[in-house]
Amino acid sequence: MSRDLPIVAITPFPVAAAHELGDAQLRANLGRATRTIRDKRARVVAEVADWEPMRDRAAAVKDEVLDNLAELLARFEAAAVAAGATVHHATDAAHANAIVTELVRAQRAESVVKIKSMATQEIGLNEALEAAGVTPIETDLAELIVQLADDTPSHILVPAIHYNRSQIRELFARRMPGFTATSDEPAVLAGAAREYLRRTFLAAKVAVCGANFAIAETGSLVIVESEGNGRMCLTLPETLIAVVGVEKLLPRFADLGDFLRLLPRSSTGERMNPYTSIFTGVTPGDGPQRLHIVLLDNGRTQVAQDPVGRAALRCIRCSACLNVCPVYERAGGHAYGSVYPGPIGAILSPQLTGQDAGFNKTLPYASTLCGACYDVCPVKINIPEILVHLRQTGPKPAAERAAMSTLSWVMRDRRRWRIALRAARSGSAPLRLIARRHGGTLRRAPWPLSAWTAHRDAPLPAAESFRDWWRRTHESS
């Protein structure tokens, strides 16, 4: 079974990234896939004349949700219950898992079919179900690949982006019941998965899903997908359980239009999603006769209190930021050690579970701050700004705090700063001789500067300050 990563970085990012960079096949797969998606996105976005105003509107709607979260949750619950759904509130992952597990047990189901869902990965639902003796079966093709490989997803939208087709064929041959194909043609592999999953759909009693959007006005849930597996899960089983992050709310049904234009273009480079399912409550004799909606907090209301970091909750999980990030393209999703990889994961994971948890404090530094993520984000999350904010507010070693405090004291006085610069130039003379062989930069410095040069070159103080140069060349004349 696939392993759901927690929303806590389990390894320091620099260590994990160094390991992943050694996988040449991974880097080739990632580079090819992200370039393809990037180019497709650019083409379809260029067709939309009002793309920027649409981004502004979507960001404003998401901010409205965060400003009125309690009221909108109550409105959504009332509308959903009136339509025949049962609404549950989960404060954290353990609470959500307990609710879902109990609901599955009530139906005496030995297995559940699942639609791709970041929320269920976030709470570790697969592990919780397995511990209760229930087999979760992923029905999204990429999630199925990851599950059969006992692996973890490495991309928000394309979980198996780190596999190529020959690797997938070999995996199917080992792990998929009834697979006999010798070809690694995508159509052949997809056909084999379709046959395997069709039998699973027809036997399923319970399905588990997430939601892309939840409409407060009507109590409706919206799921967009590309394969049709979601439609099967939403119509065939008798019981449907939706785990939905509270930030997925939209106030009005009319708000949905902009998001259904933004999301497919930003995620898969398509003008619209092949399958868009909008369902409200229960309809007698048509589709699931029991709909349970688990509204998941899991740290979200706390994040919403941060005036800077709260913008991360606008995220609609399109993964556009991953596809343009130079760090993600080289290191891949596993380097982040969390269910949310890439730039959005670097700001979301530390806020949901705390920067002190695991190695979350290393994630805000997993960025060059180039700003490409902000440029492509359909809801205008200023990821670089939040990264800097988290760097400033996150935990720091005592030695670093003392060094910065001392530096602040020095820089507040012109005379102290001038003396410090002269001392730095004098003290760096031996290092300058070493650096001269590398174009004036120091690649390896002694402790404590070694912590800096372990990952980057260190520039040395100029041999002459600007003031000294000016005094020598102008004042003397």
Side-chain angles (χ1 to χ4, degrees):
M1 290 298 168
S2 64
R3 296 172 287 115
D4 287 336
L5 285 166
I7 44 175
V8 176
I10 55 179
T11 306
F13 180 82
V15 175
H19 176 266
E20 297 298 324
L21 286 171
D23 187 339
Q25 184 65 63
L26 170 69
R27 294 182 67 178
N29 294 351
L30 283 171
R32 184 164 51 250
T34 53
R35 280 193 300 273
T36 299
I37 299 172
R38 251 192 335 254
D39 293 344
K40 286 179 63 180
R41 176 201 169 277
R43 286 195 295 271
V44 295
V45 166
E47 300 171 352
V48 183
D50 65 336
W51 182 257
E52 289 305 317
M54 191 158 55
R55 290 177 73 206
D56 290 330
R57 292 194 299 270
V61 168
K62 281 296 192 175
D63 286 345
E64 180 186 350
V65 170
L66 298 179
D67 290 337
N68 303 279
L69 190 55
E71 176 190 340
L72 291 172
L73 283 170
R75 193 183 307 171
F76 173 83
E77 180 173 5
V81 169
T86 302
V87 176
H88 311 260
H89 294 267
T91 55
D92 56 24
H95 190 190
N97 286 332
I99 292 171
V100 175
T101 300
E102 188 58 35
L103 291 172
V104 174
R105 279 177 171 160
Q107 300 306 313
R108 300 175 184 244
E110 297 180 354
S111 64
V112 300
V113 289
K114 289 185 66 210
I115 304 176
K116 174 176 165 45
S117 162
M118 296 299 296
T120 61
Q121 290 177 21
E122 173 186 324
I123 64 176
L125 180 61
N126 282 8
E127 286 80 1
L129 290 173
E130 289 167 4
V134 178
T135 302
I137 303 171
E138 300 288 353
T139 64
D140 174 88
L141 178 56
E143 291 284 2
L144 175 63
I145 291 167
V146 170
Q147 185 174 44
L148 290 174
D150 294 324
D151 198 0
T152 55
S154 63
H155 190 278
I156 289 176
L157 183 73
V158 194
I161 196 171
H162 52 295
Y163 288 96
N164 60 32
R165 65 190 197 181
S166 63
Q167 291 171 318
I168 294 169
R169 195 214 70 82
E170 190 274 332
L171 172 65
F172 280 8
R174 285 190 295 107
R175 300 296 302 273
M176 182 180 286
F179 181 83
T180 58
T182 57
S183 170
D184 65 359
E185 286 297 315
V188 173
L189 298 175
R194 185 181 299 114
E195 290 182 17
Y196 167 70
L197 288 172
R198 186 59 59 95
R199 297 189 296 271
T200 305
F201 289 134
L202 294 174
K205 295 168 64 176
V206 179
V208 176
C209 68
N212 295 97
F213 308 103
I215 313 299
E217 180 182 39
T218 61
S220 306
L221 296 179
V222 183
I223 292 179
V224 299
E225 39 127 0
S226 300
E227 300 173 16
N229 63 299
R231 189 67 57 84
M232 302 289 275
C233 290
L234 297 176
T235 55
L236 291 175
E238 283 291 305
T239 300
L240 177 62
I241 305 168
V243 181
V244 184
V246 295
E247 83 283 10
K248 296 293 185 179
L249 287 170
L250 299 181
R252 299 158 293 272
F253 197 87
D255 297 323
L256 186 59
D258 280 342
F259 288 92
L260 291 182
R261 295 176 70 199
L262 288 164
L263 180 54
R265 285 176 166 83
S266 298
S267 57
T268 56
E270 296 172 298
R271 295 177 181 86
M272 65 181 294
N273 291 98
Y275 296 88
T276 299
S277 300
I278 304 174
F279 54 101
T280 308
V282 173
T283 302
D286 183 12
Q289 297 303 289
R290 289 171 292 276
L291 171 61
H292 295 272
I293 303 171
V294 182
L295 294 173
L296 177 68
D297 188 318
N298 207 29
R300 286 160 172 78
T301 53
Q302 182 176 346
V303 175
Q305 305 308 309
D306 185 327
V308 178
R310 74 199 305 252
L313 295 178
R314 295 180 192 164
C315 179
I316 58 175
R317 309 295 191 266
C318 70
S319 74
C321 60
L322 280 70
N323 299 326
V324 298
C325 177
V327 176
Y328 174 85
E329 183 176 344
R330 287 155 182 81
H334 289 158
Y336 295 81
S338 167
V339 66
Y340 295 113
I344 188 62
I347 63 172
L348 199 53
S349 299
Q351 293 194 91
L352 288 175
T353 53
Q355 293 203 66
D356 289 319
F359 292 97
N360 278 353
K361 64 183 180 182
T362 67
L363 294 179
Y365 296 89
S367 171
T368 64
L369 301 179
C370 67
C373 49
Y374 181 36
D375 292 339
V376 300
C377 178
V379 287
K380 301 192 81 167
I381 303 172
N382 192 337
I383 293 178
E385 178 184 52
I386 302 175
L387 286 167
V388 172
H389 170 64
L390 293 175
R391 292 181 186 186
Q392 292 171 338
T393 59
K396 309 250 184 342
E400 182 179 338
R401 291 198 303 271
M404 291 300 165
S405 177
T406 301
L407 187 59
S408 173
W409 177 79
V410 170
M411 295 178 74
R412 284 198 298 267
D413 181 86
R414 182 182 300 177
R415 181 172 174 275
R416 289 196 296 261
W417 178 240
R418 192 161 53 241
I419 293 171
L421 285 179
R422 285 183 182 143
R425 284 197 298 276
S426 300
S428 64
L431 298 177
R432 203 181 311 283
L433 295 175
I434 301 173
R436 199 171 288 163
R437 293 178 303 204
H438 302 289
T441 59
L442 190 64
R443 295 192 175 176
R444 283 198 174 91
W447 186 89
L449 294 178
S450 56
W452 176 277
T453 57
H455 304 290
R456 58 185 74 78
D457 293 346
L460 292 172
E464 184 178 34
S465 72
F466 174 81
R467 286 190 178 90
D468 289 344
W469 172 83
W470 182 270
R471 192 177 298 111
R472 176 173 58 81
T473 59
H474 291 73
E475 293 182 5
S476 58
S477 59

